[in-house]
Amino acid sequence: MPEPLDTDSPAGGLTVGQVSARLDVTVRALHHWDEIGLARPSLRTSGGYRLYTAADLERLHRVVVYRELGLGLDRIRAVLDDGAADVSGALRAQRAQVAERIARLRRLGDGLDRMIEAHERGPLLTAEQQAEVFGPRWDPELTGGARAAYGDTPQWQQYAERSAGRGPEEWRAVTEAVTGFERALGEAMDAGVAPGSPEAGRLAARHRTVFGSAYFPLTRRMQVCLGRRFEAEPGFAAHYDAVRPGLAAWFRRVVDADARAHGIDPDTATWE
């Protein structure tokens, strides 16, 4: 807000430029307020230039204060020109709106904090909650490894945004969907489903759907890259092989065969 107004202006008044500097208001705003009759200079020089008197400055000061408090120009005009206007009531109503905006900004700030934290560490769950939701085989280091590999990608940002909005119950639903898919993989492997078969192709498609719902959308090329990680990295391999011995390697063959069937060379596939 402007400093308390010094009304000891020169007897001849102040020019628009001088008032602009004194009240930290743009010349354009002063001209606009003049045009709409909100705050007009009372004097003119012999050359036709407008000059603001001490009374004009007092009114302008109040306009600036009320505007910074969030009142619209029409509301300011009513407060200034209507002797019967309920100034206290108008200010209380504006105070309520300011309080509402502050609360909204605080919620926004909290949401941003959650997104930042989710971007940096993944699921916003305590170690105890993670063990309860993801099961005893869950290795929190897997998230750290994924962030190290994909933290600068748009996909990780999508994952972080989803993580920020999930609590234990939402993560439990995600876990149930992923666990159900892994169980289906193990059963298919036991049943001798061959990579490249129609049934294996449906499993690859189901993986993209489940993974996409849980984390971020997955293309076939990205799926191939994940398949490599599942087989090559000890943490991922141990997770899948705990479902069925050899499952990580078998699933990679399923993914590779599905990619070939759609014109993708798994040996040259890269992250998109």
Side-chain angles (χ1 to χ4, degrees), residues 11-32:
L14 295 178
T15 66
V16 172
Q18 290 171 323
V19 170
S20 172
R22 179 174 290 201
L23 296 183
D24 194 22
V25 176
T26 66
V27 170
R28 181 177 180 180
L30 292 173
H31 283 317
H32 178 61

Side-chain angles (χ1 to χ4, degrees), residues 90-148:
L91 294 178
R92 287 193 184 95
Q94 190 62 26
R95 179 66 180 84
Q97 293 181 26
V98 169
E100 183 180 344
R101 284 203 300 272
I102 290 172
R104 192 161 56 243
L105 289 172
R106 283 176 177 162
R107 291 194 296 272
L108 177 60
D110 291 342
L112 289 172
D113 287 341
R114 287 181 61 82
M115 288 184 65
I116 292 169
E117 188 177 2
H119 181 83
E120 293 176 347
R121 71 180 182 89
L124 301 184
L125 304 176
T126 65
E128 293 76 11
Q129 288 174 325
Q130 290 186 45
E132 178 186 353
V133 171
F134 301 135
R137 297 201 309 269
W138 170 252
D139 180 4
E141 295 301 320
L142 293 178
T143 300
R147 185 182 185 279

Side-chain angles (χ1 to χ4, degrees), residues 144-227:
R147 185 182 185 279
Y150 304 113
D152 294 331
T153 66
Q155 290 78 26
W156 182 268
Q157 295 173 15
Q158 290 174 305
Y159 167 64
E161 290 174 3
R162 293 182 180 184
S163 296
R166 287 175 178 163
E169 290 304 317
E170 290 80 9
W171 275 115
R172 188 170 287 108
V174 167
T175 301
E176 289 174 356
V178 172
T179 300
F181 171 72
E182 292 173 350
R183 185 166 52 248
L185 279 183
E187 293 169 354
M189 181 179 168
D190 290 343
V193 172
S197 66
E199 186 173 351
R202 288 191 289 272
L203 284 171
R206 180 178 171 186
H207 174 252
R208 291 192 298 276
T209 298
V210 171
F211 189 96
S213 297
Y215 308 112
F216 51 79
L218 196 64
T219 67
R220 284 189 170 86
R221 287 184 174 81
M222 293 161 65
Q223 188 179 33
V224 168
C225 295
L226 280 181

Side-chain angles (χ1 to χ4, degrees), residues 228 264-270:
R228 292 177 195 155
I264 298 170
D265 180 0
D267 295 331
T268 60
T270 56

